[in-house]
Amino acid sequence: MNTILQPLLKVENLSMMYGDRVGCQNISFDLRPGEVLGIVGESGSGKSTLLNCMSAQLKPTKGAISYNTRHDGNRDLFTEMTEPERRFLMRTDWAFVHQNPRDGLRMGVSAGANIGERLMAVGWRHYGNIRNTSQDWLSKVEISEERLDDLPSTFSGGMQQRLQIARNLVTEPRLVFMDEPTGGLDVSVQAKLLDLLRGLVQNLGLSVVIVTHDLAVARLLSHRLMVMQNGRVIENGLTDQVLDDPQHPYTQLLVSSILQC
Ligand SMILES: Nc1ncnc2c1ncn2[C@@H]1O[C@H](COP(=O)(O)OP(=O)(O)OP(=O)(O)O)[C@@H](O)[C@H]1O
C-alpha cells in the first residue's frame, strides 16, 4: 500500500472533559499529508483543547489519536508511545506555533540561537552550518540577516512571530500545529504574515492544523475546515464549500456576521 496516501494523523472519538465541563466531545477525522486543516468556532468552543490533545500536550479522557511515524507506521500517541518518544516527535517531526511568540521563543537567547537550537536538537553539530542555516531562515521569514545575534525582545511583534515560525520550520517538520498564529497582530502585519505562511506551507508541503477565530485566515490557508460549537464539530468540509454554502445554522451565522463587517 502507498503510505503517502495514508492519514498522517488519525483522531477517533476524541473527548476531553475537565471534571464535569466538556472541553471537546466525540471528534473524529483524518489529516492527510500536505493537508491544511482549519478549526474555527467561537471562544470556548473547544478549539485549543482539541489542538492540545492532538499535539499530545493534553491526554484526552476518551478516544484515540494515532500518528503515522516515519519508521514504525501508525502508533497511538498515548497507548503506544512513551513520554520521551512524544517529546522527541515534538522536537523533530512536529512543530507548534503559538499565538504569543513569547510562548514559542526563548527570549533570553539570540534570534540565531533560537533557530540553531532546533537544529542541534535533531543532531546538527557543525557551528558554521548551524549559523548559515539560521541565517538563511532569517531571510526566508524576511528578517535581515544582520539581526542574527540580536535578542527577540528587540524585535517587533510581527518579527517575533516570523522568528517563531523560522524556529519551528527549520527542521522541516511534517506536521505543524498553529494556534491563532496571526492573532494579536496589526491587520497590515497579519496580511504580510499570512502571505509568508501560505508560501512556506505550499513550498514545504506541510501538513498543518490551524486554530483560528478568523474566517479570512481559514479561507486563505486551509483546504478543509471544521467548525466547532460547545465542544463538538458541527460542520466539516472543504473550506470553500463550508464558507460559501454553510449548512449548519451556527456556521451560517458565523459567515454572515463576517459579511456584515
Ligand atoms: N484547564 C481547564 N480547566 C477547566 N476547563 C477548561 C480548561 N481549559 C478549557 N476549559 C473549558 O473547556 C471548554 C473549551 O475551551 P477551549 O479553551 O478549548 O476553547 P477555545 O475554542 O480554544 O476558546 P478560545 O478561542 O477562547 O481560546 C471551555 O468551556 C473552557 O472553559
Side-chain angles (χ1 to χ4, degrees), residues 165-181:
I165 289 164
R167 173 180 162 94
N168 270 281
L169 300 190
V170 67
T171 50
E172 300 183 7
R174 295 163 83 203
L175 176 55
V176 185
F177 300 100
M178 299 186 188
D179 192 1
E180 302 273 13

Side-chain angles (χ1 to χ4, degrees), residues 18 21-23 42-49:
Y18 300 100
R21 186 173 299 140
V22 174
E42 64 196 355
S43 181
S45 57
K47 306 181 297 294
S48 303
T49 299

Side-chain angles (χ1 to χ4, degrees), residues 70 87-94 115-125 130 170-173:
R70 285 181 202 250
R87 277 208 304 269
F88 183 71
L89 260 189
M90 207 44 162
R91 288 200 308 272
T92 55
D93 261 24
W94 291 7
I115 303 175
E117 203 174 53
R118 277 277 290 197
L119 291 171
M120 289 172 73
V122 295
W124 287 45
R125 290 290 172 260
I130 293 174
V170 67
T171 50
E172 300 183 7

Side-chain angles (χ1 to χ4, degrees), residues 16-19 21-24 40-52 58 99 179-180 211-213 228 230-231:
M16 175 68 202
M17 300 294 294
Y18 300 100
R21 186 173 299 140
V22 174
C24 62
V40 296
E42 64 196 355
S43 181
S45 57
K47 306 181 297 294
S48 303
T49 299
L50 177 59
L51 192 73
N52 289 335
L58 208 54
Q99 172 173 4
D179 192 1
E180 302 273 13
V211 160
T212 177
H213 67 273
M228 293 188 70
N230 300 330

Side-chain angles (χ1 to χ4, degrees), residues 9-18 21-30 37 39 45-66 76-79 177 209 226 228 230-233:
L9 196 75
K10 202 170 177 57
V11 174
E12 290 169 282
N13 282 323
L14 183 90
S15 296
M16 175 68 202
M17 300 294 294
Y18 300 100
R21 186 173 299 140
V22 174
C24 62
Q25 221 171 9
N26 291 332
I27 296 180
S28 300
F29 65 91
D30 290 347
L37 172 69
I39 304 177
S45 57
K47 306 181 297 294
S48 303
T49 299
L50 177 59
L51 192 73
N52 289 335
C53 287
M54 269 190 259
S55 55
Q57 297 180 76
L58 208 54
K59 189 171 189 285
T61 322
K62 249 180 52 195
I65 309 170
S66 61
D76 187 278
L77 292 187
F78 293 99
T79 59
F177 300 100
V209 181
M226 283 194 335
M228 293 188 70
N230 300 330
R232 293 180 181 273
V233 173

Side-chain angles (χ1 to χ4, degrees), residues 30-258:
D30 290 347
L31 180 78
R32 310 238 154 229
E35 186 173 40
V36 181
L37 172 69
I39 304 177
V40 296
E42 64 196 355
S43 181
S45 57
K47 306 181 297 294
S48 303
T49 299
L50 177 59
L51 192 73
N52 289 335
C53 287
M54 269 190 259
S55 55
Q57 297 180 76
L58 208 54
K59 189 171 189 285
T61 322
K62 249 180 52 195
I65 309 170
S66 61
Y67 176 67
N68 192 358
T69 59
R70 285 181 202 250
H71 304 299
D72 301 320
N74 276 325
R75 299 194 59 207
D76 187 278
L77 292 187
F78 293 99
T79 59
E80 293 175 339
M81 277 191 202
T82 60
E83 173 67 29
E85 281 177 312
R86 288 194 291 270
R87 277 208 304 269
F88 183 71
L89 260 189
M90 207 44 162
R91 288 200 308 272
T92 55
D93 261 24
W94 291 7
F96 199 110
V97 177
H98 298 266
Q99 172 173 4
N100 185 345
R102 286 171 177 268
D103 294 335
L105 289 173
R106 288 224 294 133
M107 300 305 283
V109 302
S110 69
N114 264 284
I115 303 175
E117 203 174 53
R118 277 277 290 197
L119 291 171
M120 289 172 73
V122 295
W124 287 45
R125 290 290 172 260
H126 188 280
Y127 176 78
N129 291 346
I130 293 174
R131 195 170 164 87
N132 288 340
T133 304
S134 303
Q135 214 156 23
D136 279 354
W137 265 90
L138 267 194
S139 52
K140 273 190 194 155
V141 296
E142 296 161 13
I143 296 175
S144 161
E145 294 180 7
E146 288 162 17
R147 305 296 301 264
L148 191 71
D149 296 317
D150 291 352
L151 291 176
S153 53
T154 66
F155 288 3
S156 71
M159 285 165 78
Q160 285 179 4
Q161 194 55 303
R162 280 179 275 138
L163 178 62
Q164 190 194 182
I165 289 164
R167 173 180 162 94
N168 270 281
L169 300 190
V170 67
T171 50
E172 300 183 7
R174 295 163 83 203
L175 176 55
V176 185
F177 300 100
M178 299 186 188
D179 192 1
E180 302 273 13
T182 59
L185 297 172
D186 284 352
V187 174
S188 63
V189 179
Q190 271 189 22
K192 226 177 136 210
L193 185 72
L194 268 179
D195 238 22
L196 176 77
L197 263 181
R198 190 163 62 156
L200 288 171
V201 166
Q202 270 171 7
N203 294 341
L204 301 172
L206 297 173
S207 303
V208 179
V209 181
I210 177 169
V211 160
T212 177
H213 67 273
D214 188 335
L215 293 187
V217 171
R219 163 109 60 193
L220 203 70
L221 289 182
S222 59
H223 304 128
R224 206 150 54 85
L225 203 57
M226 283 194 335
V227 185
M228 293 188 70
Q229 188 186 31
N230 300 330
R232 293 180 181 273
V233 173
I234 52 155
E235 191 153 355
N236 179 9
L238 295 175
T239 301
D240 288 343
Q241 224 163 45
V242 172
L243 295 182
D244 294 339
D245 186 20
Q247 299 298 306
H248 192 282
Y250 173 72
T251 319
Q252 290 166 356
L253 194 71
L254 207 64
V255 172
S256 68
S257 66
I258 298 299

